[in-house]
Amino acid sequence: CKITACIIEITLRRRNSGGLFQELYEEIYCKRRDTALLLIPSFLYLVQNNLLFVAVANLEPAVFQVLAQLKILTTALFSKILLNRQFSVTQWGALILLTSGCIVVQLDSASRVSARAQHGAPMFGVICTLLAQCTSGFAGVFCEKMLKASGGGNMAIRNIQLSVPALFFGACA
């Protein structure tokens, strides 16, 4: 489990300087604003995972895999919006070409798989997949923006800040 690995990393790194609880106190409790802001991507990742389960249940694997490649473009779009990242025409072209290449590879591999009976609600699956790609792109870029604003911090702490609320949100769902 990721939380366990993070706790072990912090414990080993801080064994001579206050230990695990001191770091958790300093980085999570004392920096409440950062911890509160990380609730947003934590919740979005939980939503994304649930949307993906619904999408997989309602789509053929090939369609799902093709739509999943749109995450590349949504992440770039949110990078432009949230981080003011500038992309040249060449870079946008490369992103579109990369996404297209991923789609072609997925379609090629899907054509070799035998077709199975249609089931579920395909349009609902498409909508869930598109929403999942948007939540993933937004959450990833939001985390990047937070990490840059707070000077980065320790990744083990950031993983705990993302994981613990997700466990709570998941248990409540």
Side-chain angles (χ1 to χ4, degrees):
C1 180
K2 189 181 248 186
I3 294 175
T4 305
C6 292
I7 289 171
I8 291 169
E9 187 273 330
I10 295 167
T11 302
L12 292 174
R13 184 173 38 80
R14 293 283 303 248
R15 66 179 167 259
N16 296 326
S17 59
L20 171 68
F21 295 109
Q22 181 66 31
E23 181 148 353
L24 291 176
Y25 175 78
E26 291 168 1
E27 295 293 326
I28 294 175
Y29 183 76
C30 293
K31 297 180 181 178
R32 283 176 259 185
R33 182 178 183 279
D34 287 352
T35 301
L37 284 173
L38 280 170
L39 291 173
I40 296 167
S42 179
F43 179 73
L44 288 174
Y45 284 131
L46 176 75
V47 169
Q48 175 208 2
N49 286 336
N50 286 312
L51 286 168
L52 290 175
F53 279 116
V54 172
V56 165
N58 288 286
L59 289 175
E60 295 294 321
V63 174
F64 173 76
Q65 288 298 329
V66 167
L67 291 173
Q69 303 313 314
L70 294 175
K71 186 185 302 185
I72 298 166
L73 290 177
T74 60
T75 303
L77 183 64
F78 285 118
S79 291
K80 176 152 182 54
I81 294 168
L82 295 176
L83 300 174
N84 278 335
R85 188 164 290 151
Q86 299 299 315
F87 295 102
S88 68
V89 174
T90 304
Q91 289 171 317
W92 279 114
L95 285 167
I96 291 169
L97 188 61
L98 175 64
T99 303
S100 301
C102 291
I103 290 170
V104 167
V105 167
Q106 293 300 326
L107 288 174
D108 182 53
S109 65
S111 68
R112 288 185 247 138
V113 176
S114 62
R116 65 176 195 191
Q118 184 74 18
H119 68 284
M123 185 50 72
F124 186 61
V126 167
I127 291 168
C128 287
T129 305
L130 294 175
L131 287 172
Q133 302 324 311
C134 289
T135 57
S136 174
F138 180 81
V141 173
F142 187 85
C143 281
E144 181 180 348
K145 183 177 176 111
M146 278 200 54
L147 287 171
K148 288 179 176 179
S150 68
N154 181 286
M155 289 310 294
I157 291 292
R158 297 297 175 248
N159 280 322
I160 291 171
Q161 286 174 310
L162 285 169
S163 301
V164 171
L167 288 172
F168 175 75
F169 292 142
C172 291

